[in-house]
């Protein structure tokens, strides 16, 4: 008989989950060099209006990164589908961003990974820390393979900066999402509160 530790001791589970996220998860994420905040690949919408009007537009801002960012999303989506052999219900249009810039792409990748984690955790009953680890490793492998392919094909250096920014944001959103979920876990009622005598 399997005992659901989450239902019996959510506070203990929260502490274990929070520790796993804070200590172990960063070691699993792909190491990515940080892009300078003044990098010309920043999306126009991210810059304050006063500064955007005064900035000189560089060549990188005219490059369309859409195909490469879309391909990163699709490669991760395919890797998830192949690794977990789940029905292809997680590739819904709602997860796709309206524009493919680093922030929107990172949010879409994070949402996709969270949808898979929810399915594996709740529907298939897999242990949450193992789910997080599997998904993080799969993201790291997909990211490193894709980044190396782009680097070896000698594409525009601005594209590498855009990919690095996207990768950093995915790492950040993934950590923040799980820290938030761990915090929510702490607020769940304990078994004794749920069933008073």
């Amino acid at each position: 008989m399997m005992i659901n530790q989450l239902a019996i001791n959510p506070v203990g589970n929260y502490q274990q989950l929070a520790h796993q996220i804070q200590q172990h998860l960063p070691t699993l994420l792909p190491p990515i060099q940080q892009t300078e905040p003044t990098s010309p690949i920043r999306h126009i919408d991210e810059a304050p209006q006063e500064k955007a009007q005064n900035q000189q537009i560089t060549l990188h801002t005219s490059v369309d990164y859409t195909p490469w960012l879309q391909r990163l999303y699709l490669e991760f989506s395919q890797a998830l589908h192949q690794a977990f052999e789940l029905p292809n219900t997680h590739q819904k249009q709602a997860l796709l961003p309206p524009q493919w810039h680093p922030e929107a792409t990172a949010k879409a990748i994070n949402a996709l990974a969270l949808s898979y984690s929810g399915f594996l955790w709740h529907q298939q009953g897999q242990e949450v820390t193992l789910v997080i680890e599997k998904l993080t490793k799969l993201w790291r492998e997909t990211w490193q393979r894709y980044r190396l392919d782009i680097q070896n094909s000698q594409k525009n250096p601005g594209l590498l900066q855009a990919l690095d920014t996207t990768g950093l944001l995915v790492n950040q959103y993934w950590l923040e999402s799980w820290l938030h979920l761990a915090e929510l876990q702490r607020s769940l009622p304990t078994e004794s509160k749920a069933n008073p005598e």
Side-chain angles (χ1 to χ4, degrees):
M1 177 179 178
M2 287 183 59
I3 297 174
N4 185 349
Q5 290 295 327
L6 186 63
I8 293 173
N9 188 2
V11 174
N13 188 277
Y14 156 77
Q15 290 168 344
Q16 176 190 357
L17 183 57
H19 178 76
Q20 168 87 0
I21 292 162
Q22 291 170 342
Q23 302 300 317
H24 188 58
L25 189 55
T27 66
L28 298 175
L29 288 166
I32 301 169
Q33 291 182 345
Q34 190 146 9
T35 305
E36 291 297 317
T38 57
S39 172
I41 61 101
R42 289 175 64 214
H43 191 263
I44 287 290
D45 292 345
E46 295 174 6
Q49 289 300 318
E50 308 87 43
K51 291 184 180 179
Q53 291 172 354
N54 296 332
Q55 283 181 343
Q56 183 178 12
I57 295 179
T58 63
L59 187 60
H60 289 317
T61 57
S62 65
V63 175
D64 181 16
Y65 302 118
T66 297
W68 291 282
L69 294 176
Q70 272 183 321
R71 193 175 130 212
L72 174 62
Y73 176 89
L74 290 174
E75 286 200 14
F76 184 56
S77 178
Q78 290 168 357
L80 286 166
H81 180 66
Q82 291 170 356
F84 300 109
E85 299 176 0
L86 299 179
N88 217 2
T89 57
H90 296 282
Q91 293 185 6
K92 295 180 180 172
Q93 290 296 326
L95 296 176
L96 298 177
Q99 295 179 335
W100 292 93
H101 57 80
E103 184 178 4
T105 304
K107 286 180 180 177
I109 289 171
N110 187 57
L112 180 66
L114 286 172
S115 74
Y116 268 84
S117 68
F119 185 84
L120 295 167
W121 182 12
H122 295 292
Q123 299 290 327
Q124 295 195 343
Q126 295 188 24
E127 205 260 313
V128 66
T129 54
L130 293 178
V131 167
I132 297 169
E133 187 170 319
K134 287 178 193 175
L135 290 169
T136 305
K137 286 180 177 178
L138 190 62
W139 159 246
R140 182 179 65 202
E141 291 164 10
T142 304
W143 164 258
Q144 289 174 334
R145 183 176 54 250
Y146 185 67
R147 175 70 163 71
L148 189 61
D149 286 349
I150 297 297
Q151 188 174 349
N152 290 339
S153 65
Q154 299 178 349
K155 299 283 184 193
N156 183 317
L159 171 58
L160 292 176
Q161 289 180 343
L163 290 174
D164 288 346
T165 301
T166 304
L168 279 169
L169 289 170
V170 170
N171 288 358
Q172 175 188 331
Y173 295 152
W174 186 239
L175 277 167
E176 287 174 358
S177 296
W178 283 106
L179 284 169
H180 182 65
L181 287 168
E183 185 65 30
L184 285 175
Q185 180 61 40
R186 183 170 64 164
S187 67
L188 288 178
T190 62
E191 186 70 19
S192 60
K193 289 180 186 173
N195 294 324
E197 292 183 9

